[in-house]
Structure formats: structure tokens, C-alpha cells
Amino acid sequence: MLPFVALVVGLVVVLVGLEVVSYASLKQIPSVATDEFPEIDRELLDKFSSYDAELGWCPQPNREKQKDTGDHLPGEEVRSVVTYSTDEYGSRICPAKERDEDRAADAAETERSSGNANADVTVSTYGDSYCFCREVDDDETFQHYLAQELDTHVANYGGGNYGLDQALMRLKRQYPEDPTDYVFVVVTASSIARILSVWKHYQEFGNILAVKPRYALENGSLERIESPVDEKEDLLDLESKADFLRAHDFHYDHWFKPHHATFPYTPDLLDDAEKLRYALYEAGIEFEKRTGKPIPGIDFDEAQTQSALRMEQPRVRYHERLFDTHEPLFDALISEFVDYADEREFTPVFVMVQQLRYATYESEHGPIYGDLLDRLDDRYDDLETIDMARHLDPDDGVESLYVERGEGGHYSPETNREIANVLADVVDEDR
């Protein structure tokens, strides 16, 4: 009897140990959600300096931040630090050409009505982090290079993790203060997912502070769904808003629940070889950090990066399906952009750029948004569209377009210069 009891106790200890290790491993894997409502403490909330009651979050005016981008080879100690600076409008500064503060708020309208072809053209840009130009310095953004090309200030109202919806909301709020002749909206294909989101954690696990408004299409018309977070303090108790978040965020049912690991955790870890590989690479990285000794024969950082990229492919295919099922909402937002341009009398330009995870997938399968831009061209006579993938054709592979190799890398200074040339051509053709 005693050996049997010892065997049972030993088995329980092993199973409990496996569960603890499995849960800890799953928490490190970016493609797995282990908690629906991770804790948000006061310290984390205080660091959320970009909170915005109307938009969810927004770059704040008159700020300068330095960020370590991690743009380095594994094992190197030297890391890249970039500077992000904003002006009094909350626009990222444009070193090539300062604002003309003497220009009246209605100067753009005056110039148009005067028919003066020699008047300075004015340009603003709205969009996501690829519009903001993360991972490069202020004088390496495409807005900086575009300002050099056009000899005019170019405003940069990009916001990290923005979709087409938030870009449009920020445009409508900002444009009356900063009217321009041209407005470029610059987003990635992930915008199709972002416009269906209220809480980013349901689709980008761990992005727990990002709660936002969104638009829904009701009987062919856009209806704004306001954020359930009225003030920053509300983020400390998001679980109390669970019913609202689950009901209005499309991804809760279609992405979060299928990727939510629950007890028992061991089968969730072992049912996918890629998850297990990622966890083993993480263990290797942690071992090297603790011991200070590299394990010969394997680069754990690079291996883990490639593993993460492979686990990202289902998300790319998910976004591809969203373009099939939710293009009417995307199109309605574009229509709103065009209508606002007509109301305010500026030239609207829509620009699709690529995250690295899409660029590598699309090099084999074609654009996940299909012929969307061609259809927009046909549908809207007053809209200029640019599919940047058609203009960026590197000889040494798509990865060379980005600052860092791996998922999430943003465009390099050299690529931003090429983008500026493409955008400048649009303006020059009309001058």
C-alpha cells in the first residue's frame, strides 16, 4: 500500500510541476493568452502618459523621449537609441522645415481661393506607428525627407497602434487647428483588425492599457461606439466593464477565446511543437543571462525570433479573412475621409504600407488586402491611393527595408527617404 501511495504522491508532484512550468512557459509565448484580465497596477498606470479620453491614447505635445529600439545583433552590447520629439500641436517635429506660425488658421483656404500656384503647399500626415516612424530619429522620418523635397513643413500625427478609425478621429479633431492642402493617411494592413477592436488585449495579448472607441456599420451608416473608459483611473478595473468589452470587440469571440489557454495548461503547451520550441528557446536565453555563458552552436535570440514569426502567420491569415468579411466597414471609413476632405477642401491621399510580418507573407501569397486600392481608385474620383509595396522593391529581400529584423520592425531611414520621394511625386503632379 505504501509504495502505491508514494507513487500517487510522486505522480501528483510531477503533474503539478508540469502545470507550473507549462503556465509559466505559456505566459512568455506571444501567440497565447493566459489571462483575460491581467492586473493593471498603479505604477503601470502612471507610466501611461499618452492616455487620451477621446481617442484612447495619443502622442502628447511638447515631449521628448529617447527609446532603446533593440536594433542590434544578438550578443552585442551596443544598442540604438532614437529620439521622438513632439511640438505644441502634438505632431512629431519636422527638423527640415519649421512651422510657419504666422500662417493664419484659414491660410490654406485663402491660398486655394486665390489661385496662387506659387503659394507654399502644406501637408499633414495621419496614421499608425509607420506614419509616426518609430525606431528612427526625428530627422529620419519620411515627413522630414518629404519636407526637404517640397520645401514645406510636414506635420506628423501618427499614433502607435492606431487604425484607420483612430487616424480619422484624430484628423477631425486636429485639422481645424492645423489645416493643410494635402492630408496623407498612412496605415498598415493590420488596420482591418484595429478598426474592429475596443480593447487591444483581445487581439494583441498583453496590450492591456489600450482601450479605444471604434465605429460600427449600422444600416450602411457609421455609428461611433465610445470607449468605456471615461478617465484613466477606469483602467484599474476593466473587469467591471467585461460585458461591454466582449460585446463590442469583434476579436473576443474570434481570436481571443480560441487562443486563451486555460487549466490544465500542459496540453496547451504540448499540443503545438512551435510553442514548445519557443519555450525552450526562452529557457536557453534565460540560462545564458543567469550564467553569463553562451551555449555554443545555437543563437537563441535569432531562433526565438524566427519561432515568433512562424507563430504570427495565423494572425496574418486571420487579417486576410477580415478583409473578406469586413471590407464594407473599411470602405465606409475611407468614404468618411473623402467626405471630410470635400467639406474642408483638401486633397485626400490614402497610403497602404507593410509591416514586416505581412511583407514576408505577401511576397509568397500576394497582398492580404487583395485589389482593395484599385477598387478604391475606381470608387472615389477625388481620392489618391498609394500601395507602397508596389514602389518598394529591394534587391536583397524585404527585410532590408526595416530597421530591425524580426516581427514588428519599422522602416529604415533609407526606406523612409524612398517613401518621401513617392509622396512628393503626388504633390508635384498637382502643382
Side-chain angles (χ1 to χ4, degrees), residues 80-355:
S80 297
V81 175
V82 298
T83 301
Y84 306 139
S85 308
T86 57
D87 63 17
E88 65 272 25
Y89 291 83
S91 163
R92 191 168 183 183
I93 68 167
C94 180
K97 188 77 171 181
E98 293 184 359
R99 287 179 181 274
D100 181 2
E101 296 297 346
D102 294 330
R103 180 182 173 95
D106 61 350
E109 181 179 351
T110 301
E111 287 177 0
R112 281 190 292 268
S113 62
S114 69
N116 182 3
N118 295 319
D120 290 339
V121 69
T122 53
V123 177
S124 57
T125 62
Y126 293 79
D128 57 25
S129 62
Y130 278 70
C131 177
F132 186 79
C133 297
R134 285 192 61 184
E135 300 185 271
V136 299
D137 282 310
D138 294 331
D139 61 354
E140 296 173 327
T141 67
F142 72 76
Q143 289 87 351
H144 169 77
Y145 298 127
L146 182 58
Q148 290 180 328
E149 289 288 323
L150 300 177
D151 191 28
T152 189
H153 178 269
V154 179
N156 180 348
Y157 293 113
N161 243 317
Y162 270 23
L164 179 58
D165 54 353
Q166 281 169 295
L168 182 60
M169 292 174 194
R170 193 177 186 197
L171 167 64
K172 289 186 172 184
R173 185 173 78 176
Q174 193 69 46
Y175 188 87
E177 287 186 47
D178 189 14
T180 56
D181 301 304
Y182 285 81
V183 173
F184 291 85
V185 168
V186 182
V187 296
T188 67
S190 62
S191 204
I192 190 65
R194 293 171 178 176
I195 64 176
L196 297 168
S197 175
V198 172
W199 188 27
K200 290 301 183 76
H201 173 60
Y202 281 150
Q203 207 256 147
E204 300 171 13
F205 310 140
N207 195 350
I208 55 178
L209 296 174
V211 181
K212 57 179 277 291
R214 59 162 290 200
Y215 289 103
L217 203 55
E218 300 289 345
N219 298 319
S221 299
L222 285 176
E223 299 291 338
R224 178 164 167 154
I225 301 171
E226 296 295 345
S227 169
V229 174
D230 296 321
E231 54 187 39
K232 192 175 176 180
E233 298 291 319
D234 292 342
L235 290 168
L236 295 173
D237 187 23
L238 281 180
E239 193 165 0
S240 67
K241 305 179 185 299
D243 290 343
F244 183 96
L245 295 170
R246 293 166 182 165
H248 293 289
D249 193 305
F250 176 85
H251 306 299
Y252 172 71
D253 285 322
H254 298 88
W255 185 259
F256 179 82
K257 287 171 70 174
H259 293 83
H260 186 198
T262 55
F263 181 84
Y265 297 102
T266 303
D268 270 319
L269 178 64
L270 300 182
D271 70 355
D272 186 340
E274 198 62 65
K275 293 179 187 176
L276 189 57
R277 274 194 292 269
Y278 188 95
L280 291 173
Y281 296 146
E282 179 66 28
I285 292 170
E286 186 63 25
F287 176 83
E288 290 183 338
K289 286 180 180 178
R290 289 179 179 272
T291 64
K293 298 178 180 179
I295 298 175
I298 183 169
D299 183 336
F300 286 109
D301 290 278
E302 176 60 21
Q304 190 181 59
T305 295
Q306 293 305 315
S307 177
L309 278 170
R310 289 190 292 272
M311 286 192 291
E312 276 296 311
Q313 294 310 298
R315 190 198 306 270
V316 177
R317 293 191 290 272
Y318 173 60
H319 290 180
E320 187 172 35
R321 293 193 299 273
L322 292 180
F323 272 106
D324 293 331
T325 58
H326 287 80
E327 187 181 317
L329 175 58
F330 196 93
D331 179 69
L333 292 169
I334 292 291
S335 180
E336 189 75 6
F337 176 42
V338 174
D339 289 345
Y340 189 68
D342 181 61
E343 174 189 335
R344 294 288 181 165
E345 299 184 10
F346 63 78
T347 299
V349 187
F350 176 71
V351 185
M352 184 75 85
V353 294
Q354 289 180 302
Q355 287 175 274

Side-chain angles (χ1 to χ4, degrees), residues 365-385:
H365 303 279
I368 70 169
Y369 44 88
D371 60 351
L372 170 67
L373 273 73
D374 292 331
R375 295 199 301 274
L376 293 178
D377 269 336
D378 293 338
R379 197 170 296 151
Y380 303 106
D381 293 335
D382 296 332
L383 178 69
E384 299 268 4
T385 67

Side-chain angles (χ1 to χ4, degrees), residues 351-409:
V351 185
M352 184 75 85
V353 294
Q354 289 180 302
Q355 287 175 274
L356 179 54
R357 69 182 178 208
Y358 298 115
T360 52
Y361 178 84
E362 290 174 345
S363 64
E364 298 179 11
H365 303 279
I368 70 169
Y369 44 88
D371 60 351
L372 170 67
L373 273 73
D374 292 331
R375 295 199 301 274
L376 293 178
D377 269 336
D378 293 338
R379 197 170 296 151
Y380 303 106
D381 293 335
D382 296 332
L383 178 69
E384 299 268 4
T385 67
I386 300 173
D387 188 345
M388 200 56 68
R390 299 176 183 177
H391 297 272
L392 303 176
D393 187 22
D395 295 329
D396 47 356
V398 292
E399 286 190 349
S400 64
L401 297 173
Y402 301 85
V403 168
E404 64 176 346
R405 296 173 185 270
E407 194 278 323

